[in-house]
Amino acid sequence: MRTYHCFWLLFWAGQPHQSFLTPLSKRTSGFPEKEKVLMLSGNSRQDLHRSKRSWMWNQFFLLEEYTGTDYQYVGKLHSDQDKGDGSLKYILSGDGAGDLFIINENTGDIQATKRLDREEKPVYILRAQAINRRTGRPVEPESEFIIKIHDINDNEPMFTKDVYNASIPEMSDVGTFVVQVTATDADDPTYGNSAKVVYSILQGQPYFSVESETGIIKTALLNMDRENREQYQVVIQAKDMGGQMGGLSGTTTVNITLTDVNDNPPRFPQSTYQFRAPESTPLDSPVGRIKANDADVDENAEIEYSITEGDGYDMFGITTDKDTQEGIITVKKALDFESKNLYILKVEATNTHVDPRFLYLGPFKDSATVRIQVEDVDEPPMFSRPAYIMEVKEDVPLNSIIGTVTAQDPDAAKNPVKYSVDRHTDMDRVFNINSGNGSIFTSKPLDRETLLWHNITVIAAEINNPKQSSRVPVFIKILDVNDNAPEFAMFYETFVCENAKAEQLIQTLSAVDKDDSYNGHQFSFSLAPEAASSSNFTLQDNRDNTAGIFTRKTRYNRHETSTYFLPVVISDNDYPIQSSTETVTIRVCACDHRGKMLSCNAEALIHPTGLSTGALIAILLCIIILLVTVVLFAALRRQRKKEPLIISKEDIRDNIVSYNDEGGGEEDTQAFDIGTLRNPEAIDDNKLRRDIVPETLFMPRRTATARDNTDVRDFINQRLKENDTDPTAPPYDSLATYAYEGNGSVAESLSSLESVTTDGDQDYDYLSDWGPRFKKLADMYGSMDSDKDS
């Protein structure tokens, strides 16, 4: 017979805050009264029917936010293989196993060690297994079960925004949608009423209301006027548990603004306006400003002004200042106090944007009366014309009247006027004017050929008030008279070839006349009477204001006559007739067979090739400049001085000083010796240093005398330190070599310089004991001893 092994899951449901099971299909009311045992068979699904009341065998429930001091009991695991002898061991794995959930491995009891928050994690999936404690092998298949955290109402509703901003038009109907607020609850919406939110209004009544379930805010009062109140602050509360007692709540603020609509017509604060305007007010100048008040704002307060009627309808205009919404009354036509001194206008102000919904409130326009008083001013004299044009012949006699200007005072007083010429426009004083009647006359001769137009300015001023003056331009045209004789259009100098033939044309003449001719100029040409019969040339008038000069004979000789002067008489056809005599110079020249000129009067007409005077002068100047440059360069070379080794204390360039002096040997008293180093007092102050320029020499600094037993190395280090800190030391590198062997030489001195001072002979046999290097020296001194002995 097959053996069935069952895994028992025990749970505790009767105590508060303990785990319990829920039905699979629906939730039962209340909790089980006693402990239930469910058995799971791994071989047959029919075993599930052992569960009573449709409780799921593999699902536990725990209350969140457990506040007890002990661990919260979850349930119990039990296997039918457990005989109670401790041979089985229960283990738990999955979400939170060993940390959040622990199991008693002997009894199978499961406990929660920490407070659980459903909002952090609502479900935990764990796996349970029973194993043989001795072999470690499972005695039951691994089973999976779920622990669901049962929600409690521990989260208040939270609005999606801390502050809401909304706006609606003023005068809106009751129930107009304003804005919808939304609050969320983190609690479980599927269990109880913990997450069921109800909205209510705490502040803002009776103007607004809120729907309890949707959070939609609507208007609750009719005809809310922005002009009375524009801003409203509404406080909305969201409460869970369906709004019941004990529920948690949260609030938010809704700022509601009423936007403007055109529900107010413009109104003038007064019915009549009065302004004064001088009659001298320029055109388009403002006379005054009026304004109609409108309680609306922005485009709903925009106003257009217009003049609807009045006796000054065409004299004045009105425009709207877009910034201030004022009506600006301006002058369209010139004012004249003497003609009319009072104007009455009717001005209308109208809204440009009218809302048809509020037409029942009345017409959105208003009107007012404007009275404009024209003031008299002392006006300057006024000329009868804006400008005068006069004509006068250029040969008119002096002091001849050429025209008259007229001006009068436009005021009622009719003050007398005096005239004058603005001399800035007539610097030469060609014209003058009668100050009493305004007649203009000449004061200097006129010449049309010099200046055709004279533009002068006449000033008319009141005699009683000279500051009141006006000006008028006068344009005077000078008319032409025939007072200039014709003349050649250019200077004519022509030539005739020596081999010329008779009746040959050598030059064509033309003439000009400074005078103006209405019918065009007609000139006539002829030879002067004195040259008409004796001349070697003839003149032919072409009747087209030109004439030609022809040769009268066949050949000419330049050696006999080199130049001919031909007088020509030119006459015009105007009245009175003007004529002049012009001379044509004709030179006799040598020509080739084609008539091309070669030379005249034995003088070359074309200069031979060569340098011009300007080119020669330029070459000479270049040579002089070059010589001066060479002389200056040589002078600078002679005056150049040898640069010092060190130019200044700021010059810190590396200097290379070469010492090519080998020294004077033992007789060189300038050489350094250790005695001088040890005794600086022995330095001769008159001796100059060789490594610096004499001009930059500083006096040597006295230093303390070193002891005789001072080591040379310490002595040198001491002197180097003193020179490093010496501010008078020159800024250049110096190299001093101290050739000192030091003390303690085994061979002592090898010099033979003092051998002559010894009292007796010396034995040099010990040199042979010093090795092969001293063998030659031993032979030399040994041989000297043998010579002495011999």
Side-chain angles (χ1 to χ4, degrees), residues 509-523:
L509 306 176
S510 61
V512 294
D513 194 336
K514 294 180 181 180
D515 294 324
D516 189 13
S517 177
Y518 297 100
N519 298 323
H521 291 291
Q522 294 182 3
F523 301 125

Side-chain angles (χ1 to χ4, degrees), residues 26 86 104 138 177-178 211 293 339 376 405 444 490 501 527 541 544 554 582 601 618 640 661 682 709 736 751 772 790:
K26 64 180 181 179
N104 189 319
F177 174 84
V178 179
E211 293 184 356
N293 298 326
S339 299
D376 186 27
V405 297
K444 287 186 179 181
M490 57 180 293
K501 298 179 180 179
L527 293 178
D541 192 346
D544 59 355
T554 301
E582 302 288 335
N601 296 333
R640 181 178 300 173
D661 187 6
N709 58 355
S751 175
S790 60

Side-chain angles (χ1 to χ4, degrees), residues 271-297:
S271 59
T272 303
Y273 294 85
Q274 291 193 12
F275 299 103
R276 293 180 177 273
E279 61 177 336
S280 60
T281 303
L283 298 181
D284 298 326
S285 297
V287 174
R289 289 173 175 256
I290 61 175
K291 184 178 182 180
N293 298 326
D294 194 327
D296 298 321
V297 295

Side-chain angles (χ1 to χ4, degrees), residues 87-157:
S87 61
L88 294 184
K89 177 182 180 181
Y90 295 95
I91 60 174
L92 192 67
S93 63
D95 294 340
D99 179 20
L100 187 58
F101 300 102
I102 60 175
I103 187 170
N104 189 319
E105 62 181 15
N106 296 321
T107 63
D109 293 325
I110 302 174
Q111 291 178 312
T113 62
K114 297 180 181 178
R115 294 174 60 182
L116 303 178
D117 189 358
R118 189 201 65 84
E119 286 70 39
E120 292 183 2
K121 188 174 179 65
V123 176
Y124 295 87
I125 300 176
L126 293 95
R127 291 179 297 278
Q129 194 172 30
I131 63 174
N132 189 292
R133 186 181 298 274
R134 183 176 59 83
T135 62
R137 293 181 179 179
V139 299
E140 295 286 351
E142 186 179 53
S143 297
E144 183 177 85
F145 62 97
I146 298 173
I147 298 178
K148 294 187 67 175
I149 308 304
H150 191 48
D151 183 47
I152 63 173
N153 189 19
D154 59 342
N155 291 279
E156 69 275 7

Side-chain angles (χ1 to χ4, degrees), residues 396-409:
V396 68
L398 295 180
N399 299 322
S400 297
I401 296 176
I402 61 176
T404 302
V405 297
T406 303
Q408 62 179 359
D409 185 10

Side-chain angles (χ1 to χ4, degrees), residues 641-659:
K641 294 181 179 181
K642 185 177 180 181
E643 294 183 357
L645 294 177
I646 298 175
I647 299 175
S648 65
K649 291 185 178 181
E650 289 75 13
D651 191 353
I652 57 173
R653 297 173 297 176
D654 293 337
N655 298 296
I656 300 176
V657 182
S658 299
Y659 300 97

Side-chain angles (χ1 to χ4, degrees), residues 506-725:
I506 61 173
Q507 183 66 54
T508 299
L509 306 176
S510 61
V512 294
D513 194 336
K514 294 180 181 180
D515 294 324
D516 189 13
S517 177
Y518 297 100
N519 298 323
H521 291 291
Q522 294 182 3
F523 301 125
S524 59
F525 299 87
S526 63
L527 293 178
E530 65 273 14
S533 59
S534 60
S535 177
N536 292 309
F537 303 91
T538 59
L539 181 67
Q540 179 180 339
D541 192 346
N542 298 326
R543 304 299 179 182
D544 59 355
N545 293 337
T546 64
I549 299 176
F550 295 86
T551 58
R552 176 174 286 181
K553 58 182 183 179
T554 301
R555 296 186 63 86
Y556 295 86
N557 191 342
R558 57 175 171 157
H559 298 290
E560 294 179 357
T561 305
S562 60
T563 304
Y564 294 94
F565 299 99
L566 186 64
V568 178
V569 178
I570 310 173
S571 302
D572 57 20
N573 197 27
D574 293 331
Y575 179 82
I577 296 176
Q578 300 287 341
S579 63
S580 64
T581 302
E582 302 288 335
T583 302
V584 179
T585 301
I586 303 173
R587 303 174 64 188
V588 181
C589 301
C591 303
D592 57 12
H593 63 282
R594 292 177 296 180
K596 183 177 181 180
M597 180 179 61
L598 297 178
S599 63
C600 299
N601 296 333
E603 180 180 351
L605 296 179
I606 302 176
H607 293 288
T609 303
L611 295 176
S612 63
T613 303
L616 294 175
I617 294 174
I619 294 173
L620 183 60
L621 287 176
C622 291
I623 294 174
I624 293 174
I625 292 173
L626 183 61
L627 291 176
V628 171
T629 303
V630 172
V631 171
L632 291 175
F633 182 77
L636 291 175
R637 288 288 299 269
R638 287 195 300 270
Q639 294 178 3
R640 181 178 300 173
K641 294 181 179 181
K642 185 177 180 181
E643 294 183 357
L645 294 177
I646 298 175
I647 299 175
S648 65
K649 291 185 178 181
E650 289 75 13
D651 191 353
I652 57 173
R653 297 173 297 176
D654 293 337
N655 298 296
I656 300 176
V657 182
S658 299
Y659 300 97
N660 295 324
D661 187 6
E662 295 182 356
E666 294 180 354
E667 297 179 358
D668 187 3
T669 58
Q670 299 292 333
F672 291 101
D673 57 1
I674 195 63
T676 304
L677 289 174
R678 292 179 180 274
N679 187 12
E681 298 291 344
I683 297 176
D684 188 358
D685 294 341
N686 296 327
K687 294 181 180 180
L688 301 179
R689 292 176 57 175
R690 297 181 179 181
D691 56 345
I692 64 172
V693 179
E695 288 78 5
T696 61
L697 179 65
F698 293 90
M699 293 301 294
R701 196 175 65 167
R702 299 295 182 180
T703 58
T705 304
R707 301 190 305 272
D708 292 338
N709 58 355
T710 301
D711 185 68
V712 174
R713 179 179 300 171
D714 296 336
F715 170 77
I716 293 175
N717 291 334
Q718 178 184 354
R719 290 294 181 261
L720 287 176
K721 183 176 180 181
E722 292 175 356
N723 281 276
D724 289 339
T725 58

